[in-house]
Amino acid sequence: MINFTEEQKEAIKPQGSLVITACPGSGKTAVIAQKIRNELESLKLYQGVTAITFTRKASKELEERCRSGDSDTKSSFFGTIDSFCLSEILYPFLNQVLGGSSENLEPKYDSDLTELEKPLATILKDIDQIDDESLKIIESLYSKGTIFFPTIPALALYVHENCAACRNYLKAKYTSIYIDEYQDSSKAQHMLFLSIVDSGITGVAVGDLQQSIYGWRRCSPEFLKELMRRPGFTHRTVSYNHRCHPSIANYANRLFNQNFALTEANSVQVWQSKFTGTQRDAAVSLNSLIPAMLEKNNTFKPSDIAILVRNNRTLGYLRDHISLPCRIFSDDAIDGLQSKTGIFWSALLKYRYDQSFTLDHVLEILPDHASLSKTKLIDARKSVKKIRSIEPAFLESYLPAASKKLLNIEPKDSELAALKIVVCDPDALKQYTAISDDEIQCMTLHKSKGLEFEVVIHLDLSEWIIPYQESGQSYGDKNYPNWEQDLNLHFVGITRAKSICILVHTTQRLNAQNETKNGAPSAFLDLPGLQGLFKTFSYPQ
């Protein structure tokens, strides 16, 4: 039984449409789950709630938490925004707006499009609202049985606004719609949420302005700010970080507010460290620093340590120069496909090499998996299970056969080429195995979101790297075009650390052309309000 804080209790109370701003480590998932469980107790058997999360993994975790205590979630929806739009709006109601049949409608990523469809889809990539011109293109794709993935939220909004049957169905079935990570919503997603709330469904948005890091995807924290000011929404804050050592939480909070009230801490667990040399030299230095840290803190395992970097270039330096056992988390050739076949192959490989990855994780990727007949479901389970007995040498032939059978899609030459690259690379295949205790974890700051580690070593804190910098009109001018997003990313990195956080800048840096330049500490390391909240050391000493 969780002992909720007063802030958490206030957020859990029923109070109509609500905005919850929750800091890292604040227990927001526990709060959302308890709020949903409480709501489900009073609903009729045919009623439920909609709970939308950023990833399938997060939605599965939330659903499992909501089921505890014998809560009935059968009539509720748990999933991503795209899966909600497809299953609850577009598949059942798009034909009522556009005519024809949506029975065999197929959502497609860029890589899934035919050569005839690609020029049409290109025009739709940055769409937020459907106008007459975009509607004609969407209708043309629809007539071919295609929905372009980037248009899904905007198209769902169009259907919801123009189909009374859709609005009545959602209002009869769902009493509330919960959306997590709202700071990373797009304009189309935000407008769809407001449209659903305006139709009479209670809206609950949960997010953190300081964790908005996907601006390059056209997501914006401004939509969360708008909800916080919007009439009809109550704003609650869950502000205590239960994850991080108080000194780490203090440092992180002072990034945004130099006068932020500090929590009492019995020690300082944040270090600003100057490493001699470039990013490449820093990677080499970690081979001696990390064993010394583990010897001094013998309760930590190597897997408790994460090395976080700004970009894939520094990740490459770690791959080439870290001699300690480590796991490099980076996108491989299959990830780069962004196609249904690629997503399915990734799941199959994860199931093949990671015993904790379940059969259901794979099956839920199949189209209409929830409505498969018993015979087809048994056959699909057998096909997926078989991969655990397939030798690595035969993966290149088995995966295309499995995807052709279960997805009914013939793999393209580009997909087969990507598969060959991965299955022939032991390091690439290693990424699909479960992490072992003796492996340090290395990843970009973006990939670390949602994770936590005992120790975080945050590299790349040099000018021109983070924050990203552009040349000014004259020498000495400093122009940081992405200051807010980069500061949020820095904040995310720091707040992954539970016990120790080491912030590293180097005396030199390698630029994009691999040229050695003088290194200067990141402007983030000298923000007002940070003095006295960290210790320093140089390495090698």
Side-chain angles (χ1 to χ4, degrees), residues 95 99-105 142 145:
N95 63 333
S101 172
S102 56
E103 186 176 346
N104 297 312
L105 205 56
Y142 175 72

Side-chain angles (χ1 to χ4, degrees), residues 33-53:
Q34 186 61 51
K35 193 171 179 65
I36 290 174
R37 282 197 299 269
N38 291 352
E39 184 171 350
L40 292 176
E41 288 178 0
S42 62
L43 301 185
K44 298 179 175 66
L45 288 176
Y46 64 86
Q47 291 178 312
V49 303
T50 293
I52 293 172
T53 58

Side-chain angles (χ1 to χ4, degrees), residues 388-504:
R388 283 203 165 149
S389 62
I390 298 294
E391 293 296 322
F394 299 105
L395 289 173
E396 191 178 349
S397 58
Y398 181 76
L399 266 67
S403 60
K404 185 176 179 180
K405 177 181 179 181
L406 297 176
L407 297 179
N408 196 29
I409 299 174
E410 187 75 44
K412 299 178 180 178
D413 289 345
S414 58
E415 293 169 330
L416 294 172
L419 176 62
K420 185 179 182 67
I421 290 171
V422 172
V423 299
C424 293
D425 182 354
D427 287 337
L429 287 177
K430 185 180 178 181
Q431 288 205 77
Y432 293 95
T433 63
I435 190 81
S436 63
D437 285 348
D438 68 340
E439 290 181 302
I440 300 157
Q441 304 190 57
C442 308
M443 66 194 74
T444 63
L445 291 159
H446 279 99
K447 278 195 177 293
S448 74
K449 192 167 188 292
L451 304 178
E452 58 182 43
F453 311 92
E454 292 295 340
V455 180
V456 163
I457 302 174
H458 181 343
L459 301 183
D460 282 342
L461 283 164
S462 298
E463 287 285 84
W464 298 91
I465 303 178
I466 185 167
Y468 172 71
Q469 188 174 341
E470 292 179 347
S471 299
Q473 293 184 343
S474 60
Y475 182 78
D477 285 351
K478 293 187 176 181
N479 180 23
Y480 304 108
N482 303 320
W483 177 275
E484 183 178 354
Q485 286 274 302
D486 284 345
L487 187 59
N488 289 348
L489 193 59
H490 180 45
F491 174 80
V492 166
I494 292 171
T495 53
R496 300 312 95 194
K498 296 166 66 176
S499 301
I500 297 174
C501 184
I502 301 175
L503 308 173
V504 177

Side-chain angles (χ1 to χ4, degrees), residues 3 12 15 24 30 116 162 212 227 264 304 328 376 389 436:
N3 292 319
I12 290 169
Q15 52 204 294
L116 291 176
N162 291 278
S212 173
L227 284 186
E264 185 177 348
D304 291 328
I328 307 288
K376 288 185 176 180
S389 62
S436 63

Side-chain angles (χ1 to χ4, degrees), residues 170-190:
L170 292 177
K171 189 175 179 181
K173 187 174 182 181
Y174 301 116
T175 55
S176 296
I177 177 170
Y178 293 73
I179 300 187
D180 193 13
E181 304 290 357
Y182 205 92
Q183 76 280 353
D184 291 320
S185 292
S186 68
K187 183 177 180 180
Q189 292 166 359
H190 174 60

